Every structure is written in structure tokens, then in C-alpha cells.
């Protein structure tokens, strides 16, 4: 197999999948048929590009082949297609054999991709279905890979994705760009899905690896796509900034021996300065709009701009968390605000704030609450209570690297 062709197809899959699938879905109005046609186009590219060279516009080539294949299948199966529920689109479809040789994803109007991700994140679907469909359809992730992301079997995930597709078709959910009135609500769902993908990849809930790079890259890909589609939306801009500024520290989060490095002990020379520069520029663009993603990005920017841990401006971080609590008073934000209060010089007050969260149902299985309490109790010299808190945190922590870190802290306490 021609290695250049394989590399070009792989790159086209990462960069063009959403564009090619979205354009094909708009023509055939059926997710399964569109996926089949796009997969055929990529398979054909492996042989065609090896024999004749990589085309100047790979996305245009793939879109042409996929849509022509779709038209052929629709003509052969026109009777059956008329009896099946299909996606509704907002304009008449062109059923001619389209000449797309001069079209690529850079020059085309990007509404097809916005149609695709908006449909995957339709409010009628549950959040888990939204995430699964986004991974499968927008990112081109295989069903087996989606199943691994959800820690479930491939057969279970295949059934889940099939049900979501059927719900879209049977409910006649429109395959279109949301109206001006609908877009803010839809963008909120889209941003929430991307943020969930990123946070799951940033610290894997279980397993031997701290980070899931595949999920982080998918989240970053989606955030960049959405920023290209709606560049003036501050929430989307803030989300992209948040991902860049947080992920910029990835390489320093684990040391050479595979041990967790908290922010205090990270080697800041290993941080991605290019990503930090880009993220800070995006934050400045999004501000003074104060949505939850922009404020979180601003907090990440304060961390990234600090030359060292002692020079971190905890007063500013605490103030930003206070602003965030006004618009997004979630238990996790309250926890992070309490930690910032403690690091700004008031551990007693911080512990009181954490203790107020003890009866919060959503944090009942959240190991970070007990781990945070343990750190504050240690700082206050209450080592017996701190040890019990670390033991509680261990019971709630499944990630191997995080468990090793907690066990190390606990061992240090009990050895004293």
C-alpha cells in the first residue's frame, strides 16, 4: 500500500470527515446511508490516490465520490426510500449528479457542518446520546472507540447510536441550521458536549492513564470547528480558549516516572507556550462577556501566566470563581472556589465552605471533595482527620495515577 496515499487519507479523515459526511447527509437525508457512502469514498481514495496521486482538494474529491455513490443508491432503491422516515432539510435537495471538483471545505459555506453538529446535539436527545452521536458522526470515531470512551461494550454502544439515529428520523428532527432564536440554546448544548468530552479526556475517570489524548484531540477539533463556524460567539470562543489553556499543561502533569504532578510541582518549562499565547488572545476577545467558559478560561490564563506557584495571583482567581458562581453555581464550582479561598490564605474558611458541600448529592461519589478536605486539614495540622479524608477519597477514585498520588499523601501523613 502506498504510504503517501495512506497518510493523505488519514489526514483527510481527521480534517474533512465532518464536511464530507454533512454534505452527503444533506443529499441523501439518511445518516446510515450517508455513512456508508462516505466510508466507501475513503476506501476508494486509498486505491485511487495511490494510483493517480493525491488530489489538490481532497475534501472536494471525497465529497464528490460520496454524493455520487449516494445518488446511485437512491436511484436503485427509490421505492424503499419513499417508505422510510428521513431527515427534513430546510431547502430542496439537488438530485443531479453534482460537479463538485472545484469545491472544498475551505471555500464552501460551512452550514452543512453546523447542520450536522446541531442535529447531533438536538435537545430531544439525552446528553449521552448527544456525545455518542457527535463522536461517531462529526468526528468519525468508530463505534468501538466510542464504546471505549463510555466504558461500555461495542454492541451496547451500537444499539445506543442506532436508537438515537432512529429518534432523529422518526421524530422528523430537521437537518438544518437552527434559527436565530434557537441557536443560543443549541450552542449551549454543543458547547456542553465538547466540554464534557474534554474534561473526560483531561482526567480519565478510570484506567491506568491520567489523560485520554484521543478525547482531548476530538474536543479541540470540535471547538476549533465551532469557532470557525460562529467566530463571533463569545461562549464558543471562551470554550476554545479554556481547552487550549488547560491542555497546555498536559505534558507536565505526569513526571518521567509516571507519577502525578499537581500544579504546584509542575515543570512550567514543559507547558505549551504557543497554545497559551493563542488561548490568552481568545480570552481577551471573549471578555468582557462573562459566560462560564470564558470565566473558566480566564482562571486558566491566570495560572498559565504565573511564573511560578508562589507567584500565582490567588486573589484574582478567587474573585473570578466568585463571578463564575453568580452565573453557574454548580457544586463543582463551589468546590473549586473553596480551594482557591484556601490557597489565597484562608484555609479555615475554605474548609468551612467544603464542609457545606458534604450533603450535596452530586458530590457523594466525587473523590476530589475529600481529597481537597484532606489537603486543607493537613495544612491546618489536623493529620488524623486528614488521613481519614484521604482514605475516603481513595474509596471514590478509580484512576490508577490519581490513586497512587493519594496513597503517597496518605503514607506521608501516617509516617509522621
Amino acid at each position: 500500500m502506498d504510504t503517501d496515499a495512506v497518510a493523505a487519507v488519514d489526514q483527510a479523515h481527521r480534517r474533512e470527515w465532518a464536511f464530507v459526511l454533512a454534505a452527503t447527509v444533506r443529499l441523501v437525508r439518511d445518516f446510515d446511508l450517508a455513512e456508508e457512502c462516505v466510508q466507501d469514498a475513503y476506501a476508494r481514495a486509498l486505491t485511487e490516490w495511490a494510483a493517480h496521486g493525491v488530489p489538490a482538494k481532497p475534501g472536494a474529491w471525497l465529497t464528490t465520490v460520496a454524493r455520487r455513490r449516494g445518488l446511485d443508491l437512491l436511484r436503485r432503491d427509490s421505492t424503499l426510500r419513499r417508505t422510510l422516515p428521513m431527515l427534513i432539510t430546510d431547502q430542496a435537495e439537488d438530485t443531479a449528479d453534482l460537479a463538485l471538483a472545484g469545491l472544498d471545505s475551505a471555500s464552501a459555506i460551512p452550514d452543512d457542518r453546523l447542520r450536522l453538529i446541531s442535529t447531533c446535539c438536538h435537545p430531544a436527545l439525552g446528553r449521552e446520546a448527544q456525545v455518542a452521536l457527535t463522536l461517531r458522526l462529526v468526528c468519525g470515531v468508530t463505534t468501538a472507540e466510542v464504546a471505549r470512551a463510555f466504558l461500555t461494550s461495542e454492541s451496547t454502544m451500537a444499539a445506543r447510536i442506532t436508537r438515537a439515529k432512529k429518534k432523529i428520523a422518526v421524530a422528523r428532527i430537521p437537518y438544518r441550521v437552527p434559527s436565530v432564536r434557537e441557536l443560543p440554546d443549541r450552542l449551549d448544548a454543543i458547547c456542553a458536549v465538547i466540554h464534557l468530552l474534554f474534561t473526560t479526556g483531561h482526567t480519565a475517570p478510570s484506567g491506568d492513564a491520567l489523560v485520554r489524548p484521543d478525547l482531548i484531540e476530538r474536543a479541540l477539533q470540535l471547538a476549533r470547528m465551532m469557532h470557525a463556524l460562529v467566530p463571533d460567539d463569545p461562549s464558543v470562543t471562551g470554550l476554545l480558549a479554556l481547552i487550549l489553556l488547560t491542555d497546555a499543561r498536559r505534558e507536565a502533569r505526569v513526571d518521567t516516572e509516571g507519577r502525578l504532578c499537581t500544579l504546584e510541582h509542575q515543570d512550567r518549562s514543559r507547558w505549551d507556550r504557543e497554545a497559551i499565547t493563542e488561548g490568552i488572545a481568545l480570552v481577551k476577545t471573549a471578555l468582557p462577556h462573562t459566560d462560564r467558559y470564558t470565566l473558566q478560561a480566564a482562571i486558566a490564563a491566570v495560572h498559565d501566566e504565573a511564573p511560578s506557584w508562589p507567584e500565582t495571583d490567588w486573589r484574582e482567581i478567587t474573585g473570578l470563581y466568585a463571578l463564575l458562581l453568580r452565573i453557574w453555581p454548580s457544586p463543582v464550582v463551589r468546590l473549586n472556589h473553596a480551594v482557591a479561598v484556601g490557597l489565597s490564605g484562608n484555609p479555615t474558611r475554605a474548609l468551612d465552605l467544603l464542609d457545606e458541600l458534604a450533603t450535596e448529592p452530586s458530590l457523594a461519589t466525587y473523590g476530589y471533595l475529600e481529597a481537597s478536605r484532606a489537603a486543607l486539614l493537613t495544612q491546618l495540622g489536623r493529620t488524623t482527620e486528614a488521613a481519614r479524608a484521604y482514605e475516603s477519597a481513595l474509596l471514590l477514585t478509580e484512576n490508577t495515577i490519581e490513586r497512587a498520588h493519594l496513597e503517597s499523601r496518605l503514607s506521608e501523613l501516617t509516617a509522621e
Side-chain angles (χ1 to χ4, degrees), residues 177-245:
V177 177
S179 67
V180 174
R181 179 177 55 83
E182 298 170 319
L183 190 56
D185 290 338
R186 200 71 60 85
L187 279 180
D188 182 65
I190 293 169
C191 287
V193 164
I194 296 172
H195 187 244
L196 178 60
L197 286 177
F198 174 71
T199 55
T200 303
H202 180 259
T203 303
S206 62
D208 296 331
L210 180 67
V211 175
R212 286 283 308 275
D214 55 334
L215 295 185
I216 291 177
E217 294 304 322
R218 296 300 183 182
L220 181 58
Q221 174 193 1
L222 288 170
R224 288 196 183 281
M225 179 190 299
M226 290 307 301
H227 186 247
L229 295 174
V230 282
D232 296 328
D233 186 87
S235 294
V236 172
T237 302
L239 176 60
L240 176 56
L242 172 61
I243 292 174
L244 286 166
L245 291 166

Side-chain angles (χ1 to χ4, degrees), residues 287-309:
L287 291 172
H289 183 82
T290 53
D291 66 279
R292 61 173 174 150
Y293 301 112
T294 300
L295 285 173
Q296 288 179 89
I299 292 167
V302 176
H303 282 299
D304 289 358
E305 290 184 303
S308 65
W309 175 259

